[in-house]
Amino acid sequence: MIARGRLDIRFTELFKGVLYCIGGACGFKKEQPQFPEGQLPCLSVRTGLHLVLEALNLEPGDEILVADINIPDMFAIIAAYHLKVVPLTIDKNTLGISAGQIEATITPKTKLLLITHLFGAIMDTEALLNIAKLHNLIVIEDCAQAYDGIYKGNLKSDVVFFSFGLIKTNTALTGAILCIRNEQLFAAVKILNNRLPVQKGDRYFKKIINATLINMLTARWIFTIAYWLCKLFGKDFDTLITGFTRGFPGADVMKKIKYRPCDANLCMLQHKWSHFNQSHIHKRKILASQLLRDVNPQHIIGNANLRHTHWVIPILVANPSLLIDKLRDKGFDATSKASSLVKIGFTGLSPKTSNALTLQNLVYLPMDMKMNKKEVKQLNQLLLDNLLNDVGFSKSDQI
């Protein structure tokens, strides 16, 4: 069976991480990894949001405009500061937010705009930033899912988050880079970060072992055996996989994120930040275009986005479980649980009459870069055959 995806880290890099850990444990003196001016390494994007909100010292009840889809922890962190979330609808075709929404929702209590780029797509932010700056809003861009080695965020954004977590592009297994253009805010965030305790090196070593096991598990024959064993014993295969890949499992996220990366983690972050191979993104775009060839655009999330790097490939279907079963029976590990994203708020618009992105009918296609031409063609044909008469889409929607 072709796995839903592999970690973006080689065994040689994992071995390098082991050497970093051994060096740290043995007390070998090494110069601290250096990052460019205005860039701050921290434990995670969650940690970054906590540090920025702490530094801004907003009043309880102040409003933050946010994309209505994100991971639960980001909303929990905002709630921990007693701030009001004002959700903004994401368009399923562009994966962007309309400037009109922002203009309509700004009040005297609005202090911050949090832009979230989803699924590997980079939304057009220019109009959003113009409105935000007109109203003196602090702007944060969350590029956790959209790292491509080129995009550094809109130059008007005050803060840009890049994630190097376990399942992200160019992973360092954990860690994030905060790019902060406001010098005063950067200084305050850096002071707060330096006050955090350093996470123990053995935690990072365990992540290396976990990543090694995942890379082994996603080898085709091992992955296939694991899938059929779960099916034989009535176990949830998705639960098994997600158990390996959660960055901060369990409750009390605020307690878990208040650390600095250990030296080994910092060394790996510096290595991954400065040694990214652009050809990986190019190959991923080609694979996505081949898998989605001739598929009705109504099924393709982000079909109108011009800067889509396809970190994942979600498609919209009427019956996700049916399509997943059919693809898995043919050896392709599609899933509806490749992401921990949640949607908040309610626009009052029906998904059938609105372009609002929803999550309940998404299926994530496998993204194994090692698929050969025959396998890519087979998966593409399976999609065409199964989506042609997909109930829930009218004939007028079909090409």
Side-chain angles (χ1 to χ4, degrees):
M1 177 174 285
I2 294 174
R4 60 194 65 182
R6 297 177 65 86
L7 300 184
D8 192 13
I9 188 167
R10 301 186 303 273
F11 281 111
T12 53
E13 290 176 314
L14 292 171
F15 180 69
K16 185 188 292 285
V18 171
L19 295 181
Y20 290 150
C21 289
I22 292 174
C26 294
F28 295 149
K29 293 293 183 181
K30 184 178 179 180
E31 186 177 337
Q32 278 287 101
Q34 298 298 311
F35 294 85
E37 186 75 21
Q39 296 178 6
L40 180 69
C42 64
L43 187 66
S44 69
V45 163
R46 297 168 177 86
T47 306
L49 181 61
H50 152 63
L51 292 171
V52 170
L53 293 181
E54 185 79 12
L56 291 174
N57 193 29
L58 301 177
E59 295 291 329
D62 281 346
E63 297 172 353
I64 299 182
L65 307 184
V66 301
D68 63 352
I69 293 177
N70 209 320
I71 60 172
D73 286 349
M74 298 296 275
F75 296 125
I77 293 166
I78 294 173
Y81 283 91
H82 307 289
L83 303 172
K84 181 181 177 181
V85 166
V86 179
L88 303 171
T89 302
I90 296 177
D91 186 285
K92 67 180 181 182
N93 298 313
T94 64
L95 289 174
I97 298 167
S98 75
Q101 278 191 91
I102 294 178
E103 189 76 67
T105 52
I106 290 176
T107 74
K109 293 185 73 65
T110 307
K111 305 299 181 183
L112 192 150
L113 170 64
L114 173 60
I115 297 172
T116 303
H117 301 282
L118 294 177
F119 303 140
I122 299 170
M123 73 172 78
D124 186 356
T125 61
E126 191 62 25
L128 313 184
L129 268 293
N130 288 339
I131 293 173
K133 291 306 173 182
L134 184 64
H135 293 274
N136 297 314
L137 303 186
I138 296 291
V139 178
I140 299 175
E141 277 191 73
D142 180 357
C143 297
Q145 298 186 9
Y147 179 76
D148 67 354
I150 298 176
Y151 183 67
K152 303 301 183 184
N154 192 304
L155 293 178
K156 299 175 186 176
S157 294
D158 298 282
V159 183
V160 184
F161 295 153
F162 294 101
S163 173
F164 295 84
L166 184 62
I167 61 174
K168 299 299 192 299
T169 300
N170 202 33
T171 178
L173 307 185
T174 186
I177 302 291
L178 312 185
C179 298
I180 304 178
R181 299 190 173 102
N182 182 307
E183 291 184 9
Q184 186 176 358
L185 181 59
F186 177 79
V189 169
K190 186 174 182 180
I191 290 171
L192 291 171
N193 187 57
N194 288 341
R195 290 175 182 171
L196 298 176
V198 176
Q199 193 171 67
K200 293 182 179 179
D202 62 350
R203 291 290 300 274
Y204 191 67
F205 183 76
K206 289 177 182 177
K207 289 183 180 293
I208 295 173
I209 299 301
N210 183 52
T212 303
L213 292 174
I214 292 173
N215 272 353
M216 294 171 62
L217 174 64
T218 50
R220 294 196 182 183
W221 66 274
I222 298 177
F223 195 82
T224 302
I225 291 173
Y227 171 72
W228 286 109
L229 284 175
C230 283
K231 196 168 184 178
L232 178 64
F233 291 101
K235 302 296 182 181
D236 188 343
F237 185 63
D238 284 313
T239 300
L240 171 69
I241 299 300
T242 56
F244 277 98
T245 57
R246 287 181 179 172
F248 294 88
D252 197 4
V253 64
M254 295 301 292
K255 182 178 179 180
K256 296 175 182 177
I257 63 175
K258 293 181 179 180
Y259 291 93
R260 279 183 288 156
C262 65
D263 287 345
N265 192 177
L266 287 173
C267 289
M268 184 62 79
L269 264 175
Q270 184 192 50
H271 167 74
K272 299 294 281 191
W273 181 249
S274 59
H275 293 84
F276 182 63
N277 187 348
Q278 294 290 337
S279 67
H280 176 76
I281 298 294
H282 178 66
K283 291 176 182 177
R284 201 166 69 187
K285 289 180 179 179
I286 292 175
L287 174 60
S289 67
Q290 292 172 339
L291 292 178
L292 298 173
R293 181 174 295 156
D294 296 326
V295 172
N296 184 341
Q298 292 289 331
H299 293 286
I300 303 173
I301 300 299
N303 64 78
N305 187 283
L306 301 179
R307 296 194 63 179
H308 208 323
T309 67
H310 303 282
W311 174 60
V312 291
I313 303 181
I315 60 173
L316 182 64
V317 298
N319 191 334
S321 60
L322 179 62
L323 179 62
I324 289 169
D325 288 342
K326 288 184 176 181
L327 295 183
R328 285 181 174 177
D329 284 344
K330 296 297 183 180
F332 296 97
D333 178 41
T335 180
S336 61
K337 300 178 181 178
S339 171
S340 59
L341 293 172
V342 297
K343 183 180 177 73
I344 64 168
F346 177 65
T347 63
L349 299 175
S350 167
K352 291 184 179 180
T353 59
S354 162
N355 286 330
L357 175 62
T358 58
L359 300 173
Q360 63 265 31
N361 285 84
L362 298 188
V363 171
Y364 298 87
L365 302 179
M367 280 289 287
D368 189 342
M369 302 296 291
K370 294 185 178 180
M371 279 193 284
N372 58 43
K373 292 182 179 179
K374 181 179 178 181
E375 291 164 338
V376 171
K377 186 176 181 179
Q378 182 187 4
L379 179 51
N380 173 249
Q381 191 60 52
L382 284 168
L383 292 175
L384 296 177
D385 292 344
N386 285 282
L387 296 179
L388 180 62
N389 297 310
D390 188 44
V391 294
F393 290 90
S394 66
K395 290 185 179 180
S396 63
D397 289 330
Q398 303 296 323
I399 293 177

